[in-house]
Amino acid sequence: QGAKTSILYFEKGQPTDYVWYYKIENDGFSMGTNRKPIEGSQIPELLEIFKELKQGRKPKDTKYSFCISKEQIETLDPRIAERIKKEVSEKTQEKNAKKCEKIVADLDTKLKSEKISKEMYDDKLWQFYNIVEGKIDNEIAKAIEKAHSYHFNLLNYRSNLSDEQIKDWQEALKDVKPKNGSKIEKKYQELQKTEPKIALQILASFDPKDALQMDIAREYLSKLDKKVLEQDEKLTKLFEILKETRMFEFESLSSFLTDLSEGRKIELEDDKIYCDPTISTKTNTISVSNEALGADLKVKNRILLKPGDLVIGKMHTQNGSFAIADQEYVSTGTFVPFQLDDTKINPKYLFISLKPAFSKLGIEDATGRETYKTDEILTLKIPFPPLEVQNEIVEKIEKQKQIIEGAERIEESFQISFPSIVDTVKLKDITESIGTGSTPSRSNPDYFNGTINWILTTEVNETELSVSEEKLTEKAIKDYGLKVYPPNTILLAMYGQGQTRGRTAITKIPAAITQNCAGIIIDTSKAEPYFVWYYLRSIYKLIRGQDYSGGGVPHLNLEIVKNIMISLPSLEAQRQIVEKIERQLQALDGVRHLKFEAEKRIEETLSEVWGK
């Protein structure tokens, strides 16, 4: 089925000690729309193990068959329980605070008027606090029950230690007497305040196959003082074991990719039209780079790429040269077709994992370009969780990508717009001064690492500048006759490649500027600095389109900047427009924050998957 499907089997009889799980990834049929018979069905093995189970024998754990104890399923992470108790207690007390104030005030009045005795006063107050404590306990119990939904996920129960790591863990603690007899909640509490010798006894009682116990052990060891850790060989060993833990086993790409190039070799026909492929490393999409008759193509021996093939570029792979073919292409050998086994791996999960995997390659040819052999690509390894977990990871990342794409669409469509204003003035007519800075010689160390802000052209990018990358000394300011511009100075980049030229910024700090920038000090009796800055941002393309290079490097000059035309309403109207724009920019900042958080969540998810 397309949806996750579980078969639950219950039997009356003895109380449950453990629950047996068997995970089927191959039921004898392909996972596509047309279910075709395939080899490797797990159902015969499932039935054999089930037969043993019915006879009362507990099966051994394997990759697909495993038993989870009743205690593990019933145990809630003590850290979650601790957090719930704190949050519920604070919330309930806050909720009853006003009621408590009212009761105390009422009792004070009655005590003062001698309507009640001090004993009755204390008794009434105790009754109230007792009721509140009862409510807190009740709410905590309900919250814990709700948090502990008994949802099964193998990763919640089985640790990600390899067999070798489990063996190393047991070997490190073989001479330590385990501190048994208490539940994980109590052991967790004891670990927070015990000495290393007792901590080792508690850790020796932990099951290295239990995910919760290993996570608590990892947290305890990572918080230990480095000196304490170094003084105990066993603690150090345990720390090293858990530090190297990966969430999933790693598999080479050859486990689920098959090179198709050998069976796809063709010779081009002169009278047939063929398409050369190219792959965007940014979007991982394939497209036509050249379309021509076979007679017009120099390389006649090609590899045919078919729709649905996973195509990997043997050059620039570190940047993500891979895509799914959308039509037929012919490759000279630079692009290789692979068949992907989707019964083992989700194609989207593979795409998520390929870029980090390929970043480990570092081979260059004689031209200094990245180039790889197919065998080298197939030996690369990626984290390989079960298909169900792959789907969960993909779903988690896809949701964050949707947020990012939505935010980017808003960013791209956003523009600062101004109402139609008839009156226009030249920029120089509403300024106190417009000038440029200078660039001190970097060969003189006496000019740098001072305390005076020095703003570079690269920092001028539609932003408020409250700090600068570099600082100048008083000597540099004096030797070069630099002016220190006041806050609310508008900066305009006159040089710069890419999109830099024509960009603006406004300073929140006193600063000197580079010679490639114009510093614009607005006459505040005529104009609002922020109004002028937002207006210059809105006509960025118009400013950038002007050129004083005379055929050399494109740039602006002070004359162009001084004569920029500004539509200028009254000062009051300027302030109103600024307020409106700032509300729009505040909303845009919120969108950018959502994008940042989504990107951060993707990074965190990938770090977890790769065990970083």
Side-chain angles (χ1 to χ4, degrees):
Q1 296 214 7
K4 296 175 188 176
T5 308
S6 298
I7 297 172
L8 307 179
Y9 178 85
F10 298 90
E11 189 173 279
K12 289 183 179 180
Q14 298 298 316
T16 301
D17 292 323
Y18 62 88
V19 178
W20 171 65
Y21 295 89
Y22 189 95
K23 184 174 180 60
I24 295 182
E25 291 186 357
N26 182 346
D27 64 355
F29 294 88
S30 66
M31 294 296 287
T33 308
N34 300 317
R35 302 264 287 159
K36 297 176 182 177
I38 57 173
E39 292 183 359
S41 171
Q42 296 169 250
I43 291 178
E45 182 187 70
L46 163 72
L47 295 175
E48 283 298 315
I49 298 175
F50 185 63
K51 201 180 292 180
E52 288 182 28
L53 198 77
K54 291 280 287 177
Q55 293 170 1
R57 293 197 294 270
K58 183 179 178 180
K60 289 183 178 180
D61 285 1
T62 66
K63 185 176 181 180
Y64 301 108
S65 174
F66 42 89
C67 295
I68 303 297
S69 71
K70 174 191 171 187
E71 184 184 0
Q72 271 186 280
I73 296 173
E74 287 182 334
T75 301
L76 178 66
D77 188 332
R79 294 164 296 183
I80 295 175
E82 200 174 64
R83 191 194 71 226
I84 288 172
K85 287 175 184 176
K86 184 175 182 293
E87 289 176 355
V88 170
S89 180
E90 288 174 354
K91 191 175 180 180
T92 308
Q93 286 174 348
E94 186 180 334
K95 192 176 177 181
N96 286 276
K98 287 186 178 178
K99 195 174 180 181
C100 180
E101 286 176 14
K102 189 177 178 182
I103 288 172
V104 169
D106 185 51
L107 289 173
D108 284 342
T109 303
K110 287 179 178 179
L111 183 65
K112 193 174 182 180
S113 62
E114 297 183 349
K115 288 184 179 180
I116 61 172
S117 65
K118 184 67 171 66
E119 187 179 347
M120 290 173 66
Y121 179 99
D122 293 339
D123 187 53
K124 291 281 186 185
L125 209 54
W126 176 85
Q127 285 179 26
F128 173 75
Y129 286 132
N130 198 38
I131 290 169
V132 171
E133 286 299 319
K135 284 182 179 178
I136 290 172
D137 291 341
N138 190 40
E139 291 298 318
I140 286 172
K142 285 197 289 187
I144 286 177
E145 181 64 28
K146 188 177 179 181
H148 197 169
S149 60
Y150 305 104
H151 167 67
F152 177 76
N153 182 327
L154 179 58
L155 298 178
N156 292 342
Y157 298 101
R158 297 187 78 180
S159 77
N160 46 17
L161 270 65
S162 65
D163 291 342
E164 187 178 345
Q165 287 174 315
I166 290 172
K167 187 178 176 182
D168 289 343
W169 176 276
Q170 292 166 339
E171 181 67 25
L173 294 167
K174 67 179 182 181
D175 300 327
V176 179
K177 185 180 179 181
K179 194 175 187 297
N180 294 318
S182 57
K183 291 188 176 182
I184 188 65
E185 293 91 337
K186 189 174 180 183
K187 290 178 182 179
Y188 169 72
Q189 296 296 337
E190 288 175 344
L191 269 178
Q192 308 312 304
K193 52 189 177 183
T194 193
E195 59 184 44
K197 185 179 178 181
I198 304 299
L200 274 172
Q201 292 180 334
I202 295 171
L203 295 173
S205 71
F206 281 9
D207 179 0
K209 292 182 181 179
D210 187 308
L212 175 58
Q213 294 182 18
M214 288 300 98
D215 196 43
I216 288 172
R218 185 183 290 107
E219 182 183 277
Y220 166 74
L221 292 166
S222 63
K223 288 181 178 178
L224 271 183
D225 186 274
K226 194 176 178 182
K227 290 180 180 177
V228 174
L229 202 61
E230 289 172 351
Q231 287 170 1
D232 194 298
E233 189 179 331
K234 292 184 184 298
L235 287 174
T236 303
K237 178 64 178 174
L238 299 181
F239 175 75
E240 291 299 322
I241 292 168
L242 295 181
K243 188 179 73 171
E244 295 171 5
T245 300
R246 288 172 167 174
M247 184 174 286
F248 308 111
E249 293 180 7
F250 276 53
E251 289 279 348
S252 61
L253 298 184
S254 60
S255 300
F256 34 81
L257 294 185
T258 305
D259 180 8
L260 300 173
S261 54
E262 194 61 36
R264 295 282 189 82
K265 291 180 178 178
I266 61 169
E267 188 171 341
L268 302 186
E269 299 173 23
D270 289 347
D271 58 350
K272 190 174 177 181
I273 295 175
Y274 297 94
C275 296
D276 282 320
T278 184
I279 290 178
S280 165
T281 57
K282 184 178 180 182
T283 61
N284 296 119
T285 53
I286 191 168
S287 57
V288 177
S289 67
N290 179 48
E291 190 173 342
L293 283 167
D296 298 329
L297 295 170
K298 291 182 180 179
V299 181
K300 302 296 181 184
N301 294 319
R302 300 272 183 133
I303 296 171
L304 181 65
L305 311 180
K306 293 183 178 181
D309 287 348
L310 169 65
V311 180
I312 297 179
K314 293 164 76 172
M315 293 173 63
H316 311 301
T317 300
Q318 281 180 313
N319 297 324
S321 183
F322 46 88
I324 299 293
D326 59 340
Q327 64 173 60
E328 282 196 355
Y329 297 91
V330 287
S331 164
T332 58
T334 303
F335 296 100
V336 181
F338 292 89
Q339 182 178 355
L340 185 151
D341 186 349
D342 60 7
T343 65
K344 292 182 178 180
I345 192 162
N346 181 323
K348 289 184 178 180
Y349 175 79
L350 177 61
F351 269 46
I352 289 166
S353 305
L354 277 178
K355 193 166 286 191
F358 286 141
S359 68
K360 299 179 184 301
L361 289 171
I363 307 161
E364 295 184 350
D365 62 15
T367 64
R369 295 185 298 181
E370 307 150 10
T371 181
Y372 313 94
K373 295 177 182 177
T374 303
D375 289 345
E376 290 165 338
I377 291 172
L378 287 173
T379 56
L380 286 175
K381 292 187 175 183
I382 65 169
F384 193 58
L387 194 57
E388 180 185 333
V389 179
Q390 293 176 32
N391 296 339
E392 289 175 359
I393 293 166
V394 167
E395 185 181 354
K396 189 185 289 188
I397 289 178
E398 288 290 311
K399 282 180 181 177
Q400 300 309 316
K401 282 185 175 179
Q402 287 172 11
I403 294 171
I404 293 167
E405 288 166 7
E408 286 175 345
R409 283 195 295 270
I410 293 171
E411 282 184 300
E412 287 168 10
S413 63
F414 180 83
Q415 57 182 16
I416 296 174
S417 58
F418 284 79
S420 298
I421 302 164
V422 177
D423 296 332
T424 59
V425 296
K426 290 181 179 178
L427 182 59
K428 65 181 179 181
D429 294 333
I430 56 170
T431 60
E432 291 182 3
S433 67
I434 300 177
T436 58
S438 185
T439 303
S441 170
R442 291 192 175 275
S443 62
N444 190 336
D446 293 340
Y447 291 154
F448 298 93
N449 300 321
T451 57
I452 302 168
N453 294 296
W454 184 45
I455 295 172
L456 306 175
T457 316
T458 52
E459 296 173 88
V460 180
N461 189 21
E462 296 186 352
T463 187
E464 292 178 311
L465 292 169
S466 55
V467 68
S468 62
E469 292 178 7
E470 293 203 45
K471 310 287 184 184
L472 294 180
T473 59
E474 294 279 358
K475 180 174 174 56
I477 298 293
K478 183 179 178 182
D479 288 356
Y480 279 82
L482 288 174
K483 178 178 180 178
V484 177
Y485 287 83
N488 286 340
T489 297
I490 298 168
L491 304 182
L492 192 148
M494 298 194 295
Y495 288 77
Q497 300 299 319
Q499 301 293 312
T500 306
R501 190 175 74 259
R503 291 291 190 201
T504 56
I506 192 164
T507 61
K508 303 290 285 182
I509 49 171
I513 60 175
T514 174
Q515 62 189 3
N516 295 333
C517 277
I520 305 161
I521 301 176
I522 301 297
D523 182 344
T524 54
S525 67
K526 297 177 181 178
E528 286 287 331
Y530 272 81
F531 174 86
V532 179
W533 179 44
Y534 291 144
Y535 190 86
L536 291 174
R537 284 172 63 176
S538 74
I539 60 168
Y540 157 72
K541 289 182 180 178
L542 186 65
I543 297 170
R544 181 178 171 77
Q546 301 184 63
D547 181 11
Y548 188 71
S549 62
V553 178
H555 67 273
L556 308 172
N557 66 6
L558 282 182
E559 198 60 30
I560 290 173
V561 174
K562 288 177 181 179
N563 288 289
I564 292 172
M565 300 303 295
I566 307 288
S567 296
L568 198 72
S570 67
L571 278 169
E572 182 57 34
Q574 289 178 42
R575 294 186 188 105
Q576 290 173 0
I577 291 169
V578 167
E579 285 178 10
K580 183 180 177 182
I581 290 171
E582 286 180 343
R583 285 196 297 270
Q584 294 171 341
L585 289 171
Q586 192 173 9
L588 184 64
D589 284 341
V591 170
R592 285 171 174 159
H593 180 71
L594 284 176
K595 178 184 171 184
F596 171 78
E597 289 296 320
E599 289 170 339
K600 186 178 172 183
R601 288 190 195 101
I602 289 176
E603 286 179 14
E604 287 171 352
T605 301
L606 291 175
S607 293
E608 287 176 9
V609 170
W610 281 82
K612 294 179 181 177

